[in-house]
C-alpha cells in the first residue's frame, strides 16, 4: 500500500505525473529559470525545484547548504509527501517520510548506519493501525566500491520476517544501466525462491552532461528509491538517461524517452521541453 501511494507521488516524476509543494518564497536569483536561461550559475549549486511550467513538481530545501527537507505532491490531488532529513555531523542519520492524509498511508522513519564512511545499512519503522511494520536493509558494494545490491527483510506487524526484497544494480562506468527488483515471501527467516517475482528496469542512451540529482545526497536518493519504486534508479547515475524501459514479470516491455536541453555549465534545464530544472547557488 505504501509503495503504491508513493508511486503516484514521487516515482511517477519520470512520466511527468508528479508535482511538488512550493513551500518557500520566490526562486533564488541566478537559477536558470527560463529556457534558454538568462543567467547561469557558475559555482556550486543544488537542485531546488522541478517545474512543468505551471506547477512545481519537486522542491528541495537546504539549511546551511545541506538538504533538510524535500516536498512532493500528487498531480491529481492535494496529497503531499514531506521528507525531513536529520544529520549527525555531516552524515544523514535519519529520514522521516510522511504524507498529509489522515490516517497516514506513508509514515516511515529510516535510521541510517555507516561503515568506513559509506552507507552500510538502515532500518525502517512504520506505524500501521496500532502495530509497527519494520524493515532491515543491508547495502552491498562491488570490489570497486560501486553500489551493487540492497537487501530488505520486512516484518509486517510480526516478530518474524515475512517478505524479502532484493534490488540489484548494474553500472556501466558511473551510470546505472539496469536494475533488477526481486520480491519473494520468507518462511522461517529464509527467502522462498518459489514465490520470487522480478521486474527489470533498463536505462540507455546516456548523455555526457551532469545529472541534476548528483547535487543531492546519494543516501537520500537511495532511501527515497526503496521507499517508492526502483524505476527511477537512473537518478543514481552521473549522467542523464535518454531512454527508460520497464520489463514486468508478464507482458511486453514499456519504454519512454527523455530529451534534455542544457545550460552552459552542462546541467539540464528541461526534459522534453516540459519538465524544467531549477537550481539554487550554494
Amino acid at each position: 500500500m505504501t509503495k503504491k501511494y508513493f508511486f503516484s507521488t514521487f516515482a511517477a516524476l519520470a512520466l511527468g505525473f508528479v508535482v511538488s509543494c512550493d513551500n518557500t518564497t520566490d526562486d533564488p536569483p541566478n537559477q536558470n529559470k527560463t529556457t534558454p536561461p538568462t543567467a547561469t550559475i557558475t559555482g556550486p549549486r543544488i537542485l531546488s525545484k522541478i517545474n512543468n511550467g505551471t506547477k512545481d513538481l519537486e522542491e528541495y530545501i537546504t539549511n546551511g547548504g545541506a538538504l533538510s527537507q524535500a516536498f512532493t505532491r500528487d498531480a491529481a490531488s492535494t496529497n503531499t509527501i514531506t521528507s525531513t532529513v536529520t544529520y549527525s555531523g555531516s552524515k544523514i542519520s535519519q529520514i522521516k517520510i510522511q504524507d498529509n492524509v489522515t490516517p497516514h498511508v506513508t509514515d516511515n522513519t529510516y535510521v541510517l548506519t555507516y561503515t568506513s564512511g559509506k552507507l552500510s545499512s538502515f532500518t525502517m519503522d512504520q506505524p500501521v493501525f496500532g502495530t509497527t511494520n519494520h524493515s532491515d536493509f543491508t547495502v552491498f558494494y562491488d570490489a570497486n566500491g560501486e553500489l551493487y545490491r540492497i537487501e530488505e527483510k520486512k516484518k509486517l506487524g510480526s516478530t518474524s520476517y515475512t517478505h524479502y526484497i532484493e534490488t540489484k544494480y548494474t553500472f556501466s562506468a558511473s551510470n546505472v544501466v539496469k536494475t533488477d527488483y526481486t520480491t519473494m515471501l520468507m518462511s522461517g527467516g529464509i527467502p522462498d525462491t518459489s514465490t520470487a517475482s522480478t521486474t527489470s528496469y533498463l536505462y540507455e542512451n546516456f548523455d555526457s552532461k551532469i545529472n541534476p540529482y548528483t547535487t543531492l545526497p546519494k543516501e537520500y536518493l537511495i532511501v527515497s528509491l526503496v521507499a517508492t519504486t526502483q524505476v527511477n534508479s537512473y537518478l543514481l547515475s552521473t549522467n542523464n538517461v535518454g531512454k527508460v524501459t520497464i520489463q514486468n514479470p508478464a507482458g511486453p516491455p514499456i519504454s519512454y524517452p527523455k530529451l534534455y536541453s542544457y545550460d552552459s555549465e552542462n546541467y539540464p534545464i528541461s526534459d522534453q521541453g516540459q519538465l524544467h530544472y531549477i537550481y539554487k547557488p550554494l
Side-chain angles (χ1 to χ4, degrees):
M1 183 175 182
T2 299
K3 289 200 174 185
K4 181 178 179 182
Y5 177 78
F6 251 126
F7 185 79
S8 69
T9 54
F10 180 88
L13 171 61
L15 302 176
F17 294 140
V18 183
V19 295
S20 85
C21 174
D22 184 353
N23 205 39
T24 64
T25 57
D26 193 24
D27 299 330
N30 190 29
Q31 38 66 44
N32 305 327
K33 188 171 184 178
T34 59
T35 306
T38 56
T40 298
I41 300 170
T42 56
R45 69 174 73 188
I46 190 169
L47 182 63
S48 176
K49 298 179 182 181
I50 298 178
N51 183 279
N52 69 353
T54 59
K55 297 179 180 178
D56 290 329
L57 308 179
E58 297 180 19
E59 183 177 10
Y60 298 95
I61 309 301
T62 57
N63 183 9
L67 178 68
S68 61
Q69 283 190 310
F71 298 91
T72 64
R73 180 187 296 158
D74 189 80
S77 70
T78 59
N79 292 335
T80 300
I81 295 286
T82 301
S83 298
T84 302
V85 182
T86 302
Y87 292 82
S88 178
S90 61
K91 294 292 188 181
I92 295 176
S93 58
Q94 178 179 293
I95 301 175
K96 176 76 169 177
I97 304 178
Q98 191 174 60
D99 60 30
N100 67 333
V101 301
T102 304
H104 293 299
V105 177
T106 301
D107 187 6
N108 301 357
T109 300
Y110 296 85
V111 177
L112 287 66
T113 300
Y114 298 82
T115 301
S116 300
K118 298 188 72 169
L119 180 65
S120 56
S121 64
F122 53 101
T123 61
M124 185 278 290
D125 287 290
Q126 177 194 39
V128 179
F129 303 121
T131 187
T132 300
N133 294 336
H134 176 85
S135 287
D136 291 305
F137 296 84
T138 305
V139 184
F140 298 91
Y141 300 88
D142 65 17
N144 297 317
E146 194 74 78
L147 179 65
Y148 170 64
R149 184 165 63 95
I150 297 177
E151 175 186 270
E152 177 185 1
K153 296 179 180 180
K154 182 187 294 288
K155 301 175 183 179
L156 295 180
S158 67
T159 58
S160 301
Y161 293 120
T162 55
H163 291 73
Y164 177 88
I165 300 171
E166 180 186 74
T167 306
K168 199 174 283 188
Y169 302 93
T170 301
F171 279 79
S172 177
S174 57
N175 294 319
V176 180
V177 295
K178 185 181 182 184
T179 300
D180 293 308
Y181 180 78
T182 301
T183 63
M184 64 189 81
L185 299 177
M186 298 186 74
S187 177
I190 305 298
D192 181 358
T193 56
S194 69
T195 66
S197 176
T198 299
T199 299
S200 295
Y201 306 98
L202 305 176
Y203 311 106
E204 303 173 79
N205 304 337
F206 283 90
D207 62 20
S208 59
K209 312 297 185 180
I210 302 170
N211 172 7
Y213 284 89
T214 60
T215 66
L216 301 176
K218 180 165 284 188
E219 294 81 9
Y220 164 77
L221 295 176
I222 289 173
V223 170
S224 295
L225 287 169
V226 301
T228 58
T229 173
Q230 293 297 333
V231 67
N232 286 342
S233 293
Y234 62 84
L235 299 183
L236 297 171
S237 301
T238 297
N239 306 119
N240 300 289
V241 68
K243 180 182 177 182
V244 177
T245 299
I246 304 169
Q247 178 61 73
N248 290 301
I254 302 170
S255 297
Y256 61 90
K258 296 175 73 65
L259 181 65
Y260 308 92
S261 57
Y262 310 89
D263 67 13
S264 61
E265 300 296 310
N266 292 322
Y267 286 88
I269 56 174
S270 71
D271 176 12
Q272 303 287 349
Q274 297 176 350
L275 299 180
H276 302 284
Y277 298 92
I278 300 169
Y279 304 91
K280 179 168 61 177
L282 295 176

